[in-house]
Short mmCIF file of all heavy atoms in Angstrom, two decimals:
data_model
loop_
_atom_site.label_atom_id
_atom_site.label_comp_id
_atom_site.label_asym_id
_atom_site.label_seq_id
_atom_site.Cartn_x
_atom_site.Cartn_y
_atom_site.Cartn_z
N GLU A 1 0.83 -1.20 0.00
CA GLU A 1 0.00 0.00 0.00
C GLU A 1 0.86 1.25 0.00
O GLU A 1 0.57 2.23 -0.68
CB GLU A 1 -0.91 0.01 1.23
CG GLU A 1 -1.80 1.25 1.36
CD GLU A 1 -2.79 1.40 0.23
OE1 GLU A 1 -3.08 0.39 -0.46
OE2 GLU A 1 -3.28 2.52 0.02
N GLY A 2 1.98 1.21 0.77
CA GLY A 2 2.90 2.34 0.81
C GLY A 2 3.56 2.56 -0.54
O GLY A 2 3.72 3.71 -0.97
N ARG A 3 3.92 1.46 -1.20
CA ARG A 3 4.53 1.58 -2.54
C ARG A 3 3.55 2.18 -3.53
O ARG A 3 3.90 3.05 -4.32
CB ARG A 3 4.99 0.20 -3.02
CG ARG A 3 6.23 -0.33 -2.30
CD ARG A 3 6.85 -1.47 -3.08
NE ARG A 3 5.94 -2.61 -3.17
CZ ARG A 3 5.91 -3.62 -2.32
NH1 ARG A 3 6.74 -3.61 -1.27
NH2 ARG A 3 5.08 -4.63 -2.47
N ARG A 4 2.31 1.69 -3.47
CA ARG A 4 1.29 2.19 -4.40
C ARG A 4 1.01 3.67 -4.17
O ARG A 4 0.95 4.46 -5.12
CB ARG A 4 0.00 1.39 -4.24
CG ARG A 4 -1.07 1.72 -5.27
CD ARG A 4 -2.44 1.23 -4.83
NE ARG A 4 -2.87 1.92 -3.62
CZ ARG A 4 -3.35 3.16 -3.60
NH1 ARG A 4 -3.45 3.87 -4.72
NH2 ARG A 4 -3.73 3.72 -2.47
N LYS A 5 0.86 4.06 -2.92
CA LYS A 5 0.54 5.44 -2.59
C LYS A 5 1.67 6.38 -2.96
O LYS A 5 1.45 7.47 -3.50
CB LYS A 5 0.23 5.56 -1.09
CG LYS A 5 -0.28 6.93 -0.68
CD LYS A 5 -0.67 6.94 0.79
CE LYS A 5 -1.18 8.32 1.19
NZ LYS A 5 -1.57 8.36 2.62
N THR A 6 2.90 5.96 -2.69
CA THR A 6 4.06 6.80 -3.00
C THR A 6 4.22 6.96 -4.51
O THR A 6 4.46 8.07 -5.01
CB THR A 6 5.35 6.20 -2.41
OG1 THR A 6 5.17 6.03 -0.99
CG2 THR A 6 6.53 7.11 -2.66
N PHE A 7 4.08 5.86 -5.24
CA PHE A 7 4.26 5.92 -6.70
C PHE A 7 3.15 6.74 -7.36
O PHE A 7 3.39 7.41 -8.37
CB PHE A 7 4.29 4.52 -7.30
CG PHE A 7 4.58 4.52 -8.77
CD1 PHE A 7 5.86 4.75 -9.25
CD2 PHE A 7 3.56 4.31 -9.69
CE1 PHE A 7 6.13 4.76 -10.61
CE2 PHE A 7 3.82 4.33 -11.05
CZ PHE A 7 5.11 4.55 -11.50
N SER A 8 1.93 6.68 -6.79
CA SER A 8 0.81 7.42 -7.39
C SER A 8 1.05 8.93 -7.36
O SER A 8 0.52 9.66 -8.21
CB SER A 8 -0.49 7.10 -6.65
OG SER A 8 -0.46 7.60 -5.32
N THR A 9 1.85 9.41 -6.39
CA THR A 9 2.17 10.84 -6.34
C THR A 9 3.14 11.25 -7.43
O THR A 9 3.30 12.44 -7.71
CB THR A 9 2.77 11.22 -4.97
OG1 THR A 9 4.02 10.53 -4.80
CG2 THR A 9 1.84 10.84 -3.83
N CYS A 10 3.81 10.27 -8.05
CA CYS A 10 4.81 10.55 -9.08
C CYS A 10 4.33 10.25 -10.50
O CYS A 10 4.89 10.78 -11.47
CB CYS A 10 6.08 9.74 -8.81
SG CYS A 10 6.79 9.95 -7.17
N ALA A 11 3.34 9.37 -10.63
CA ALA A 11 2.94 8.89 -11.95
C ALA A 11 2.46 10.02 -12.86
O ALA A 11 2.83 10.08 -14.04
CB ALA A 11 1.85 7.83 -11.80
N SER A 12 1.64 10.92 -12.32
CA SER A 12 1.11 12.02 -13.13
C SER A 12 2.23 12.94 -13.59
O SER A 12 2.25 13.40 -14.75
CB SER A 12 0.07 12.81 -12.34
OG SER A 12 -1.03 12.01 -12.04
N HIS A 13 3.17 13.22 -12.68
CA HIS A 13 4.30 14.08 -13.02
C HIS A 13 5.14 13.45 -14.12
O HIS A 13 5.54 14.13 -15.07
CB HIS A 13 5.15 14.33 -11.77
CG HIS A 13 6.33 15.21 -12.02
ND1 HIS A 13 7.62 14.74 -11.98
CD2 HIS A 13 6.44 16.53 -12.33
CE1 HIS A 13 8.47 15.73 -12.24
NE2 HIS A 13 7.77 16.82 -12.46
N LEU A 14 5.38 12.16 -14.02
CA LEU A 14 6.16 11.45 -15.05
C LEU A 14 5.46 11.50 -16.40
O LEU A 14 6.11 11.69 -17.44
CB LEU A 14 6.38 10.00 -14.63
CG LEU A 14 7.55 9.73 -13.66
CD1 LEU A 14 7.52 8.28 -13.20
CD2 LEU A 14 8.88 10.04 -14.32
N THR A 15 4.15 11.36 -16.41
CA THR A 15 3.38 11.41 -17.66
C THR A 15 3.51 12.78 -18.31
O THR A 15 3.78 12.89 -19.52
CB THR A 15 1.89 11.11 -17.38
OG1 THR A 15 1.78 9.82 -16.77
CG2 THR A 15 1.09 11.15 -18.67
N ALA A 16 3.33 13.83 -17.52
CA ALA A 16 3.43 15.19 -18.05
C ALA A 16 4.83 15.50 -18.54
O ALA A 16 5.01 16.15 -19.57
CB ALA A 16 3.00 16.19 -16.98
N VAL A 17 5.84 15.02 -17.80
CA VAL A 17 7.23 15.24 -18.20
C VAL A 17 7.51 14.56 -19.54
O VAL A 17 8.15 15.14 -20.42
CB VAL A 17 8.18 14.70 -17.11
CG1 VAL A 17 9.60 14.54 -17.66
CG2 VAL A 17 8.19 15.63 -15.91
N ALA A 18 7.04 13.32 -19.68
CA ALA A 18 7.27 12.59 -20.92
C ALA A 18 6.63 13.30 -22.11
O ALA A 18 7.23 13.41 -23.18
CB ALA A 18 6.72 11.17 -20.79
N ILE A 19 5.42 13.81 -21.92
CA ILE A 19 4.72 14.52 -23.00
C ILE A 19 5.45 15.81 -23.36
O ILE A 19 5.71 16.10 -24.53
CB ILE A 19 3.26 14.82 -22.59
CG1 ILE A 19 2.48 13.52 -22.46
CG2 ILE A 19 2.60 15.74 -23.61
CD1 ILE A 19 1.10 13.70 -21.84
N PHE A 20 5.80 16.59 -22.32
CA PHE A 20 6.44 17.89 -22.56
C PHE A 20 7.81 17.73 -23.21
O PHE A 20 8.10 18.33 -24.24
CB PHE A 20 6.56 18.64 -21.23
CG PHE A 20 7.15 20.03 -21.36
CD1 PHE A 20 6.36 21.09 -21.75
CD2 PHE A 20 8.49 20.27 -21.10
CE1 PHE A 20 6.88 22.37 -21.88
CE2 PHE A 20 9.03 21.54 -21.22
CZ PHE A 20 8.22 22.59 -21.61
N HIS A 21 8.66 16.90 -22.61
CA HIS A 21 10.01 16.75 -23.14
C HIS A 21 10.02 15.99 -24.46
O HIS A 21 10.84 16.29 -25.34
CB HIS A 21 10.90 16.04 -22.13
CG HIS A 21 11.35 16.93 -21.00
ND1 HIS A 21 12.18 18.00 -21.21
CD2 HIS A 21 11.09 16.91 -19.68
CE1 HIS A 21 12.42 18.60 -20.06
NE2 HIS A 21 11.76 17.96 -19.12
N GLY A 22 9.13 15.04 -24.62
CA GLY A 22 9.06 14.32 -25.89
C GLY A 22 8.72 15.25 -27.05
O GLY A 22 9.32 15.16 -28.13
N THR A 23 7.78 16.18 -26.80
CA THR A 23 7.40 17.13 -27.84
C THR A 23 8.54 18.10 -28.14
O THR A 23 8.80 18.42 -29.31
CB THR A 23 6.16 17.93 -27.41
OG1 THR A 23 5.15 17.03 -26.97
CG2 THR A 23 5.61 18.74 -28.57
N LEU A 24 9.24 18.57 -27.10
CA LEU A 24 10.37 19.49 -27.31
C LEU A 24 11.47 18.82 -28.13
O LEU A 24 12.04 19.43 -29.05
CB LEU A 24 10.95 19.94 -25.97
CG LEU A 24 10.15 20.99 -25.17
CD1 LEU A 24 10.90 21.33 -23.91
CD2 LEU A 24 9.94 22.25 -26.00
N LEU A 25 11.78 17.57 -27.80
CA LEU A 25 12.82 16.85 -28.54
C LEU A 25 12.41 16.68 -30.00
O LEU A 25 13.22 16.83 -30.92
CB LEU A 25 13.07 15.48 -27.89
CG LEU A 25 13.74 15.50 -26.52
CD1 LEU A 25 13.74 14.10 -25.91
CD2 LEU A 25 15.17 16.03 -26.61
N PHE A 26 11.14 16.37 -30.21
CA PHE A 26 10.63 16.21 -31.57
C PHE A 26 10.71 17.51 -32.36
O PHE A 26 11.04 17.52 -33.55
CB PHE A 26 9.18 15.72 -31.52
CG PHE A 26 8.50 15.66 -32.86
CD1 PHE A 26 8.75 14.62 -33.73
CD2 PHE A 26 7.62 16.66 -33.25
CE1 PHE A 26 8.13 14.57 -34.98
CE2 PHE A 26 6.99 16.61 -34.49
CZ PHE A 26 7.25 15.57 -35.35
N MET A 27 10.43 18.63 -31.69
CA MET A 27 10.37 19.92 -32.37
C MET A 27 11.74 20.50 -32.69
O MET A 27 11.96 21.04 -33.78
CB MET A 27 9.60 20.92 -31.49
CG MET A 27 8.11 20.74 -31.51
SD MET A 27 7.40 21.07 -33.14
CE MET A 27 7.85 22.78 -33.37
N TYR A 28 12.68 20.42 -31.77
CA TYR A 28 13.88 21.26 -31.86
C TYR A 28 15.17 20.50 -32.13
O TYR A 28 16.18 21.12 -32.44
CB TYR A 28 14.04 22.08 -30.58
CG TYR A 28 12.91 23.06 -30.38
CD1 TYR A 28 11.93 22.83 -29.41
CD2 TYR A 28 12.80 24.19 -31.17
CE1 TYR A 28 10.89 23.72 -29.24
CE2 TYR A 28 11.76 25.08 -31.01
CZ TYR A 28 10.80 24.84 -30.04
OH TYR A 28 9.78 25.71 -29.87
N PHE A 29 15.18 19.18 -32.05
CA PHE A 29 16.44 18.47 -32.20
C PHE A 29 16.50 17.71 -33.52
O PHE A 29 16.82 16.54 -33.58
CB PHE A 29 16.66 17.54 -31.00
CG PHE A 29 17.01 18.30 -29.76
CD1 PHE A 29 16.02 18.83 -28.96
CD2 PHE A 29 18.33 18.54 -29.42
CE1 PHE A 29 16.33 19.56 -27.83
CE2 PHE A 29 18.66 19.27 -28.30
CZ PHE A 29 17.65 19.78 -27.50
N ARG A 30 16.17 18.45 -34.59
CA ARG A 30 16.31 17.94 -35.95
C ARG A 30 16.85 19.05 -36.83
O ARG A 30 16.60 20.23 -36.54
CB ARG A 30 14.95 17.50 -36.50
CG ARG A 30 14.32 16.33 -35.79
CD ARG A 30 12.92 16.09 -36.33
NE ARG A 30 12.04 17.21 -36.02
CZ ARG A 30 11.01 17.57 -36.76
NH1 ARG A 30 10.75 16.94 -37.89
NH2 ARG A 30 10.25 18.58 -36.42
N PRO A 31 17.59 18.70 -37.88
CA PRO A 31 18.02 19.74 -38.82
C PRO A 31 16.83 20.35 -39.53
O PRO A 31 15.80 19.71 -39.72
CB PRO A 31 18.92 18.97 -39.81
CG PRO A 31 18.50 17.55 -39.68
CD PRO A 31 18.06 17.37 -38.26
N SER A 32 16.96 21.62 -39.94
CA SER A 32 15.83 22.33 -40.56
C SER A 32 15.36 21.67 -41.85
O SER A 32 14.20 21.82 -42.23
CB SER A 32 16.22 23.79 -40.84
OG SER A 32 17.34 23.84 -41.69
N SER A 33 16.23 20.91 -42.52
CA SER A 33 15.86 20.26 -43.78
C SER A 33 14.80 19.18 -43.57
O SER A 33 14.11 18.79 -44.50
CB SER A 33 17.09 19.65 -44.45
OG SER A 33 17.71 18.72 -43.58
N SER A 34 14.67 18.66 -42.33
CA SER A 34 13.72 17.58 -42.07
C SER A 34 12.40 18.08 -41.51
O SER A 34 11.53 17.28 -41.16
CB SER A 34 14.34 16.57 -41.08
OG SER A 34 14.49 17.15 -39.80
#
């Protein structure tokens, strides 16, 4: 129960981080020709 409760406080943050950083990497870390 402690593991579940502790991880639940982090899961949403991890999801948002993955979305935000994934989009930034997709947008800015390619040459302009692509």
Side-chain angles (χ1 to χ4, degrees):
E1 178 63 20
R3 288 196 296 268
R4 186 197 64 77
K5 187 175 180 180
T6 304
F7 184 76
S8 67
T9 64
C10 305
S12 296
H13 180 249
L14 278 172
T15 302
V17 164
I19 294 170
F20 183 81
H21 283 295
T23 310
L24 284 182
L25 291 171
F26 174 78
M27 283 295 299
Y28 296 106
F29 288 85
R30 295 174 295 151
S32 59
S33 58
S34 68

